[in-house]
Amino acid sequence: MNLLFPQFSISTQGLKNCRHYFCQTQFDTPSENQKLWSIHSKEPPASMTIETLVLGAGQEVGKSCVVVTINGKRIMFDCGMHMGRIDATRYPEFNRISDSGDFNSAISCVIITHFHLDHVGALPYFTEVCGYSGPIYMTYPTKALSPLMLEDNRKVMVDRRGEEEQFTTDHIAECMKKVIAIDLKQTVQVDEDLQIRAYYAGHVIGAAMFHAKVGDAEMVYTGDYNMTPDRHLGAAQIDRLRLDLLITESTYATTIRDSKYAREREFLKAVHKCVSGGGKVLIPTFALGRAQELCILLDDYWERMNLKVPIYFSSGLTIQANMYYKMLLSWTSQKVKDTYSKHNAFDFKNVHNFERSMIDAPGPCVLFATPGMISGGFSLEVFKHWAPSENNLVTLPGYCVPGTVGHKLMSGKPSKIDLDPDTQIDIRCQVHQLAFSPHTDSKGIMDLVKFLSPKHVILVHGEKPKMISLKEKIHSELGIQCYHPANNETVCVPSTHYESVETSDTFIRNCSNPNFKFQKCSPVGTCNSTPTDRNLMPELQVKDDRVAEGVLVVDKSKKAKIVHQGELLLTLRDKNRV
Amino acid sequence: MDSGKHQSMDSQSKEPFSLRTLSVMRSLIINPSTPKPTVTSILQTLTGSLQSAHAASHQAHHILKLLFNIAASHPSLSQLVLDSLRSNLPKPSTSLAIEGTIESLDALASISDQGPVSLDDSLFVSLCFGPSVKSRIWMLKNAGLRFQVRPALLLGVCLGFTKDPYPYVRDASLQGILCLGELGVFEDGSLVKACYQRAVQLLNDMEDCVRLSAVRVVASWGLMLAASNADMKTYWSNEVFAKICSMARDMSMKVRTEAFNGLGKMEIVSEDFLLQSLSKRVLAFGKKKEALYQSTSEQFVKLATSVAGALVHGLEDEFFEVRKSACQSLHTLTILSLEFAHEALNFLMDMLNDDSVAVRLQALETLHFMAINGCLKLQEKHLHMFLGVLVDNNREVRYAGRKIHKVVKLNDRSLFKSSIDGLLENLVHHPQDENDVFSGFSHLGRKHKKYVGLIIKGIFEEVEAAFEGNFEFNSAKIAALLTLSISAPLLNGHIGSIPPVMFSYAVTFLGRIYCAFSDIKDRNALLVYLCEKSKSTGYSGGDAANLTCNEVIDTEIESQITKEPKEVANCKEVKQQSGYDEVTNFTNYILAKLPDMWPMIESGFTNKVLKSLRCWKEELVTMMTSNSLGSGDALPFTLQFLRIFKLLAEIWQHLLPTRFCSEIMGKWELRLGKLDKRVKELLSSFVGFSAEEEINILELILLTFALKLCKVEICSGNLTFKRLKTTYLQVESLLKESSALPSNFIVELGKLLHENSTSITDASSCSSLPFDKCLKLFSIKKFMFHGTIKHLKAELSVPNNDLEHPFPYVSGLPVGIPCDITVHNVSSRNRLWLRMSTDDGFMHHVFLDLDLFEGSGGVKKISFAAPFYRTTKANSVKLKVCIGVESLFENVCPVQIRGGPKHELVLLCSEKEVYLSKINKE
């Protein structure tokens, strides 16, 4: 049973003036439903559906791209590339959107949720090569960081791997010019009918969930999100909305994660033990996200425990990334925002720049170095120097690509690692593994779906068997229809449409005056309740029948009008006279 | 002029007032020097026009405002205003009139100070059901609080309006229901259930504010529902628990915070539900119990998903408010199940790693509570976090951490050892914590005699080495270890394996470590104890296996046998008042902290200091009222000292160069007067100070005089200077007697007085003395409250007398005033007086001979009739009676009134009014 008067939050004064009252399909009892059924008994017209075409991330992770048609408006959510592929399938099949290749008329706008390449990677290709020139929306941090990611990736692909160039640096720059940056909770009127709004999603800095509304139909596309906060980013946050459709990621559709406090504690303990024993700690990380997360954790701990051991950042990129974080403070967690006036959390008090010459300097220290999997670069160089001492510690992320030093360290406890035929490293240092995932777990997905209670759910960005299991769970526990389309499949769900009709004065007057009754009735669904519950007396319930007292009449000119039930006879007599 | 004004106003009363007239009225009303008749006539005029003004709303608004002003600025007229408002309530027929009525009611309720205003049923209903939504919300919000409406009616209306389409109306009606729930118990079970169910439905409301109120109602009415049905109490409690848990993932921070506040109110919850709230994965219902609790099992299966991980989510929330609230909820929940407490401990330990101090403190408080309740079972894996607290950068966090160490019982020798290491590390990193760390060691030793016995060998060797070798080296650590060692046999006579020589060593540290025992022994008693133990022969030579009482000691029977009778009495007192420890800790904490604040005052951060002083004061006052059985004299002492400190802080800010200005001189003088009084009170109404402490208090008096002399006008300077000199001489003699060193302030003051002893002949010359120089050297000394300080106080009651039942008298003849007097801690050295005074300044003193008092020990009682001679010809007399003690320290200007005390009186109780009335011969 949903709420009775969702539309009533507009003032009574407004109601009187406009003389219109929106009627809702949901009512308390079937009999009330029947009174108003006439208007909805017709087949919904074609425009009253939401059509979802999954171009990417359908039953897989990678190249997120979903095209949603709401009441005739077409929105593309995300435009990612598949990082694991190098053939044509790395990009979504854009030609399915429009055979003619005229994307500008086919699509109202493109929305990018965050700067990861599997969400933004194909954007320059779509705009510069395929020729889309309509509006593109993303949040400010995403707009700032996406070109960095795209350029970095282009370099790796073209310069290092020698692949064929799909788009150039200029393409990226041109593409970014078309982007309209928006803020959180800012409602943007894309065109006359289409409204979009971004909500905080956690995950990475600038990540957002998008709410889109056309007419009365509303839907949310989550992108990637995180329902538990970490040290530097907050948890996803959204209003309670009246949604027809929710498209959510499902990376961890079956995992339930324990509190990460225990992992943080172990990490801190290991690091503290190492530095108090005079050892050096190597933390290989990527520049964005994990580095800041761990650094805040350590910096806080240092502050609290009054530790004086230096913490170093090796690469320029990490320092540059910290700059971005410092500027994008409003996109971080509450704690960072709260303390901002006193101290910018990304102005790490105990952090210094690292010089190559300091690798062999004596004394304990903590060093953040890129890349994260010790696949080469500076982290490997430092690793070579530090690994042979048992005083030292290396902390690895939760996942490393096979073939990297990180992967070798994680699988078993090797005493030696052969880098190449000439180089062999003795491993005597300790290894600590610390996994932080910025994706929500299955409980988080369930919590979000439960909170939003949409009419339909579509799962994307996950593995098929896990998606099926989550789909079952959503259906059985929450009673919500759920889908998990594969790539290039389309799902159609009906959308809400409110009909505006004229109302009589008596009805309006009646509606603006409270009119509730109490009634005793036996509890609903008695058979489901426990035996002890069954022999209770009838429950007291409150009813407010103001709107239910309205009757919908349709006159000869097919114009619908709501009158108060007391007026019905009078109205009919009038009609007869005419 | 006034009368002319009245007339003009009367003539206008039929027509609406112009804004000018209204403003003239207002200025007349708020001007305190306006004659009362004028105000009264304005009131009449306004009342007269109020009825007609209700038709035109804007007029009514102004008139109501003015009426309110009258009531506010002329309290004597407020009753008249009330009557006029009550008789002129408009009929709420139109929406305009409804708003007028609301305004009148608002004014009515704000003026009336005798509790809620009663409200007519029909008026209430018509206001609620009127078309004005604003008024509806106002009425629902205020009905329960400021107006008296029949609860049944109010509940019905509120319940009905939970279905209102306007979210704020729903919110207000839920708040109304909540208020009603707090006010009284509803007998009708189905009604309670209906309210609860309705609130449960509203947990899914679209609006944050409605959900917030719904959570509150679910928590409070859910508990009512559970309580109303003894058979199903568990069932309903579980149900409520699950419903509130399901809100732990709401998107609104306030709703989440409220949900955890609600969880903190739960009285019983099944263990499975509790454990489920700590696990995000859905658990299987406890297998063993399944057959036993069939119904709970079914319920669990149904609700487990909404409960799952709720508390964990709360603890890892983004907002510290929520995390704090979740920690707080664990406070009560951990009592409900031991297994849950153990599980929750793992999570609480992680909260000690939180970045917010507030959360860390709350987590520590919860841990402390668990330790008191015996459900804190520390394990090896907790130690890193738990001991980390002791080296935390935040002082309060460290203090809270040590507070737990003082009460926790450790079950493992290695845990005990780690705790000691942790405390020692605290001492190294933060030497300023020394006193409290020692106190921690002392408690730790008392609680774990067995473990002290096990590690005493190592300690002994270390102490021995330190004493033989370089004595000063790491003396804090040695003092700490000694404290630990000597405290072990404190509650139990046998010294066990502790070498007696340790006690002799400890004597050398007496001055440093005695504070650690201040909760049970004062310095002298500790010395006696140490001397006695050092001669002990029961030393078992370090063989731990021979220990007879190898248990964690807290059996008081055993310890009482071996104690001196005085100690036993002491000990009983300690045990009787469970809050005693806490009070002493708190007061000592405050007293220790005050000297540290002095530099802040000197550098001008007075407001910050005053803020914390105010907080402490409030806390002390609440402690005093709650601890009515007199938890020692620590509270009044601390409070008095706090007051003095506060006055000093306030006075000092005028000494700062930028703040001094002459116009607030009057206030300054007033404060100096107060300070003078307070310090004297401190000296006279407390006894048992050591010489050192007495000097410190006298120093405060000297300071007061110096302050007076350096800033206040000359007229009273001469006398003040004389007093200053006398007091200084007193200090000097005290200093000679004791071995204490004078403070810089006293030294400087002494120099000043000596240098100028010849040149000072009159006041004008002394005021030019450079007292400022001394003032700069002043700093507040540290006071520790210890057992010997006693608070002199008296209770005075005059039975069967009040305004309506005065004592009769015949004018010219003396009248006896029966007094029941109880005095505390008064010794025969004190001279007690009963003071009777009348309003015209007459005072009469009656000496109270202590020998006539009955009772022994600290409390003495007497009932007697005090004679009062000055019965006048007036029809009635009001006497003020009180008890005072002569302050013996100052004898400069005799205040003696014939037959009265020779010195100033310091009052020991508040003045009591006694009413006398003349007997009429008719």
Side-chain angles (χ1 to χ4, degrees), chain B residues 408-417 420 444-445 447-457 459 484 488 497-498 544 547 549-553:
Chain B
V408 74
K409 281 194 188 127
L410 303 166
N411 304 321
D412 186 341
R413 181 182 162 179
S414 66
L415 287 179
F416 179 69
K417 191 79 185 56
I420 292 172
L444 208 59
K447 282 224 154 54
H448 305 92
K449 185 177 177 188
K450 175 181 158 191
Y451 297 135
V452 176
L454 290 173
I455 60 164
I456 191 69
K457 213 172 157 206
I459 296 180
L484 180 74
S497 56
I498 297 161
L547 283 181
C549 38
N550 224 354
E551 288 304 305
V552 176
I553 300 301

Side-chain angles (χ1 to χ4, degrees), chain B residues 494-564:
Chain B
H494 307 292
I495 60 165
S497 56
I498 297 161
V501 67
M502 291 292 262
F503 295 92
S504 322
Y505 286 151
V507 175
T508 58
F509 280 101
L510 186 67
R512 202 162 169 186
I513 63 176
Y514 79 94
C515 295
F517 300 90
S518 58
D519 54 334
I520 47 169
K521 279 187 194 305
D522 63 24
R523 194 176 168 150
N524 294 332
L526 185 67
L527 181 62
V528 171
Y529 163 80
L530 289 176
C531 294
E532 186 191 312
K533 293 292 175 198
S534 62
K535 289 176 217 136
S536 174
T537 49
Y539 174 48
S540 58
D543 191 355
N546 283 348
L547 283 181
T548 43
C549 38
N550 224 354
E551 288 304 305
V552 176
I553 300 301
D554 62 346
T555 48
E556 55 246 67
I557 311 149
E558 197 181 7
S559 56
Q560 279 175 12
I561 299 167
T562 54
K563 270 188 194 166
E564 306 277 316

Side-chain angles (χ1 to χ4, degrees), chain A residues 256 261 265 303-304 447, chain B residues 249 281 315 350 353 393:
Chain A
I256 295 182
Y261 286 154
R265 183 197 338 135
E303 189 65 23
R304 208 141 31 79
D447 287 334
Chain B
R249 288 295 259 168
R281 287 183 195 85
L315 291 175
D350 284 330
N353 193 24
N393 235 352

Side-chain angles (χ1 to χ4, degrees), chain A residues 228-229 234-235 237 240 256-257 261 265 268 300-301 303-304 306 334 443 447 518 536 542 546, chain B residues 156 163 165 193 204-205 249 251 280-281 308 313 315-316 318-319 350 353 355 360 384-385 392-393:
Chain A
T228 41
Q237 210 271 326
R240 182 157 263 177
I256 295 182
R257 236 177 270 127
Y261 286 154
R265 183 197 338 135
L268 289 174
D300 261 356
Y301 188 74
E303 189 65 23
R304 208 141 31 79
N306 230 341
Q334 193 59 36
K443 181 153 194 311
D447 287 334
F518 296 102
L536 280 177
V542 197
R546 297 179 228 190
Chain B
K163 277 270 184 181
K193 197 171 169 196
N204 290 320
D205 199 273
R249 288 295 259 168
M251 287 285 175
K280 291 185 192 174
R281 287 183 195 85
H313 283 306
L315 291 175
E316 55 183 25
E318 181 178 356
F319 292 84
D350 284 330
N353 193 24
D355 45 54
R360 294 208 295 273
H384 176 70
M385 284 294 162
D392 198 287
N393 235 352

Side-chain angles (χ1 to χ4, degrees), chain B residues 366-584:
Chain B
T366 305
L367 287 172
H368 182 240
F369 185 76
M370 286 169 75
I372 291 175
N373 281 290
C375 52
L376 181 70
K377 206 173 166 195
L378 276 181
Q379 290 167 33
E380 191 69 40
K381 63 176 177 183
H382 299 140
L383 281 181
H384 176 70
M385 284 294 162
F386 187 57
L387 298 178
V389 169
L390 293 176
V391 286
D392 198 287
N393 235 352
N394 186 295
R395 186 195 175 117
E396 278 153 77
V397 171
R398 291 198 305 272
Y399 177 74
R402 287 192 297 267
K403 212 164 112 184
I404 302 169
H405 271 98
K406 287 180 193 172
V407 288
V408 74
K409 281 194 188 127
L410 303 166
N411 304 321
D412 186 341
R413 181 182 162 179
S414 66
L415 287 179
F416 179 69
K417 191 79 185 56
S418 310
S419 281
I420 292 172
D421 292 342
L423 283 168
L424 284 175
E425 203 176 333
N426 180 355
L427 204 54
V428 172
H429 288 289
H430 304 277
Q432 68 270 34
D433 292 354
E434 189 175 286
N435 280 346
D436 197 54
V437 173
F438 286 174
S439 162
F441 273 114
S442 135
H443 280 88
L444 208 59
R446 281 179 237 170
K447 282 224 154 54
H448 305 92
K449 185 177 177 188
K450 175 181 158 191
Y451 297 135
V452 176
L454 290 173
I455 60 164
I456 191 69
K457 213 172 157 206
I459 296 180
F460 179 61
E461 277 162 13
E462 194 166 340
V463 171
E464 190 96 285
F467 272 83
E468 280 167 9
N470 187 355
F471 185 73
E472 278 307 304
F473 173 70
N474 211 355
S475 61
K477 186 180 177 188
I478 301 303
L481 291 175
L482 281 170
T483 310
L484 180 74
S485 320
I486 63 166
S487 61
L490 200 61
L491 297 177
N492 174 297
H494 307 292
I495 60 165
S497 56
I498 297 161
V501 67
M502 291 292 262
F503 295 92
S504 322
Y505 286 151
V507 175
T508 58
F509 280 101
L510 186 67
R512 202 162 169 186
I513 63 176
Y514 79 94
C515 295
F517 300 90
S518 58
D519 54 334
I520 47 169
K521 279 187 194 305
D522 63 24
R523 194 176 168 150
N524 294 332
L526 185 67
L527 181 62
V528 171
Y529 163 80
L530 289 176
C531 294
E532 186 191 312
K533 293 292 175 198
S534 62
K535 289 176 217 136
S536 174
T537 49
Y539 174 48
S540 58
D543 191 355
N546 283 348
L547 283 181
T548 43
C549 38
N550 224 354
E551 288 304 305
V552 176
I553 300 301
D554 62 346
T555 48
E556 55 246 67
I557 311 149
E558 197 181 7
S559 56
Q560 279 175 12
I561 299 167
T562 54
K563 270 188 194 166
E564 306 277 316
K566 190 186 151 204
E567 271 182 60
V568 175
N570 252 344
C571 181
K572 264 187 190 155
E573 210 181 329
V574 171
K575 292 288 169 189
Q576 261 169 14
Q577 300 146 10
S578 56
Y580 177 85
D581 252 7
E582 203 168 330
V583 170
T584 330

Side-chain angles (χ1 to χ4, degrees), chain A residues 398-439:
Chain A
Y399 174 76
C400 288
V401 173
T404 58
V405 175
H407 188 260
K408 283 177 196 161
L409 283 174
M410 274 160 61
S411 41
K413 249 193 150 285
S415 59
K416 282 181 172 61
I417 287 180
D418 301 312
L419 274 192
D420 50 64
D422 307 326
T423 344
Q424 193 181 48
I425 314 174
D426 280 340
I427 313 287
R428 284 196 215 97
C429 65
Q430 306 143 50
V431 177
H432 187 94
Q433 207 178 328
L434 177 65
F436 285 148
S437 172
H439 286 276

Side-chain angles (χ1 to χ4, degrees), chain B residues 650-662:
Chain B
E650 282 164 351
I651 289 167
W652 223 261
Q653 70 181 335
H654 297 291
L655 287 181
L656 299 169
T658 48
R659 291 293 304 268
F660 184 74
C661 49
S662 57

